[in-house]
Every structure is written in structure tokens, then in C-alpha cells.
Amino acid sequence: MQTKNRRNLIINTTQMVVWVGVFLVPAIVTGTMTGSLEQAVKVFTTGAMLLLPAFVLYSLNYYLLVPRLLHGGRAKWFYIINGGIIVGWMLWDFFGKHPQEFPKEVVEQFGERTLWAMYVGSILLRVFVQCMLVLLAAGLRGVMRSNDAMIQAQEERRKSAEAELTWLKHQLNPHFLFNTLNNISSLTQIDPDKAQESIGQLSDLLRYALYDSEADRVFLSAEMEFMSNYVDLMALRCNELTTVTKDFQVPQEHVEVAPLLFISLVENAFKHGVNARYPSFVNAEMSYADGVITFRCANSLFEKQGSDHIGSGIGLENMKRRLELLYPGKYAYEQKAENDTYTVEVKLQV
């Protein structure tokens, strides 16, 4: 709305300046060249009498007829009114003054037929100018209307994207809580003391996930701390056959990122990369350099059958959709499976 109002103010001000210039410039030039105020006033008066009908016609169309009739679904009346005005002025010019009223010496010098031709030509020229003024007013209003439609469409897309992001985030939080609470539940049966300690850690995670993550952007350092704690909690349910490593290189500068973007990758790694009966591993890394955040997660590959396979799931689909909405054209997502290892890497320009 502010952009639209600012643009309208600029256009209206520019129009006013142009019209004032059209009215005043001839008089100013005449006064400057002749040094006579009387001559300047005479030129201004004569010019104003000639230009005033054009100004009225343009203003009438720009401020009233075009927006109310042409763009208001009543185009027929727009053409009827403008046609009536132009034809009316043409008839007034034609019958209001004709060559017989010109000085006799002028008629004798040019001839009556030539004067008639010149007079009709001048009337047609004024009609052409009047039509051009109507087209100019309609064209300018059309451009403004098109720009308004484009701004409205952009605003609607922005609101739609914001609504979708909110929906995705609300989907993510319950998914995250469900997995974490399952981990704590499993731990209570193995090590109650460790479970109690982990509940305090979970409290910090919940505070971040439920409150801090409501912001559009969070500090990368806070996101890294959250991810590091989350990896620790996920590792609690693993036995001695699983090796879990992490490397979160906290940047010195204050870098901001959308919250909870990469949590699904860690969930996916523990879900598909850990097997209680075989040696397995999970390795999560995050760093920042030269305006690019890099998150990399590697895990042992125990591929499941059916639709529940590594690289799929609601959480990962939500993450990809959020990346597309929040960082269009500014991210790279790569995943590969080789040598019994699954690796996924996301690079994000911020």
C-alpha cells in the first residue's frame, strides 16, 4: 500500500509540474526575451485560453472517466461522453468562427478556399490532440492499474507463502516432539538418572522449538547449539555399536538463518542409519564461511523396503518446501548413497 501511494504521489506531482510548465513556459520565455511583463501576461492569457480545454479534458478523463467508467465496467459511457465532448467542441469551433469573419485583406491574400482548408485543418488538428489527451490519460491509468494488479498479486503470493510456512512449521514441531519424547521414554528404562538429566536438556530444546523458533530468523549460533543438543539426545537411545560424532563450528559474526531447517536430516540419519545389531554411525557437521551455511550429515546405510526409505518422509519434504519458499535459488541440496554410506548436504546462501 505504501508503494502504491508513493507511486501515485510521484505520478500526480509530475503531471502537475508538466501542466504548470506548459502554461507558464511560453510566457516566461516571452518575458525574458522581450523584457515586457505586459507581453508575458498577454502570452499567458492567450495560451491559457487555448490550453484550458485540453487540461480540463485530460483531468476529467484521468481522475473520473477512465477509473470510473472505462475501468469500472461501463466503457460504453466512457466513449459516448468523450465522443460527445470532442464533437461538441469541434462544432463549436466550426460554427463559432469561419473565414468570412476574417479581415478582408487576409481573404484577398490567401483566398477563401485556402482559408477554409486551413481552418478545417486546424479544427481536425485540435480534435487529434484531444483524442491523444484522452488516450494518454487512459494509457497512464492502464499502466497504473496493471502495476496495482502486479503488486496485489505479489502481496497475495507473499501471504500465501507465509501461511504455508506457518503450516509447515506447525507440522514440524509435533513431529520433532514425538521423536524426542520417544527417546526420553526409551532412556528411562535404561538409565533413570541419565534420563532425568536429559529432561533438563529437553526443556531447553522445547523452549527453543516452541518459542524461539517462532521467529522468522534466529542466530546461527543458537541453531547450532540446538542441533548439537538434539544430536546428544538422539544418541542416548543408541547402544555401543553406534558411533555418533558432531562438529558444529559456531561463527564469530552474527549470522541469521530460518529455524529448524535441518532437524529432519538428523532425524532421518538416526532413523535409517542406526541398527542395534550391527556397527553403525551418524556424523553431523555444520559450518559457515563466505556467506554460505553448509550442513552435512552422513550415516551408515540400512535401506528399508517399501515407501519408508532413507531420503523420504514428511519431515524431509517439509524441509525441502521451506527451503524453496525461504531461499529460492539460494540453496543446493545433494544426497548420495555409496559404499554403505548415505550422505546429504545442504548449502545455503544467507
Side-chain angles (χ1 to χ4, degrees), residues 325-336:
L325 289 171
L326 293 170
Y327 300 97
K330 295 183 178 180
Y331 76 93
Y333 179 90
E334 181 182 359
Q335 62 182 29
K336 59 183 179 180

Side-chain angles (χ1 to χ4, degrees), residues 230-259:
Y230 184 73
V231 171
D232 289 341
L233 277 178
M234 294 292 287
L236 293 176
R237 64 185 301 181
C238 302
N239 59 24
E240 66 278 0
L241 293 178
T242 302
T243 301
V244 178
T245 59
K246 61 181 181 178
D247 182 14
F248 294 95
Q249 302 174 19
V250 180
Q252 297 298 319
E253 57 264 51
H254 292 303
V255 183
E256 292 187 339
V257 66

Side-chain angles (χ1 to χ4, degrees), residues 164-206:
E164 184 175 0
L165 282 170
T166 301
W167 179 75
L168 289 172
K169 190 180 291 185
H170 287 167
Q171 276 196 319
L172 180 64
N173 284 340
H175 185 66
F176 156 74
L177 292 175
F178 177 78
N179 283 278
T180 306
L181 289 173
N182 272 346
N183 294 341
I184 296 295
S185 176
S186 300
L187 185 62
T188 57
Q189 302 174 14
I190 302 172
D191 189 345
D193 293 334
K194 184 65 176 176
Q196 185 174 1
E197 178 184 342
S198 299
I199 289 175
Q201 192 175 19
L202 175 61
S203 176
D204 294 334
L205 292 178
L206 294 180

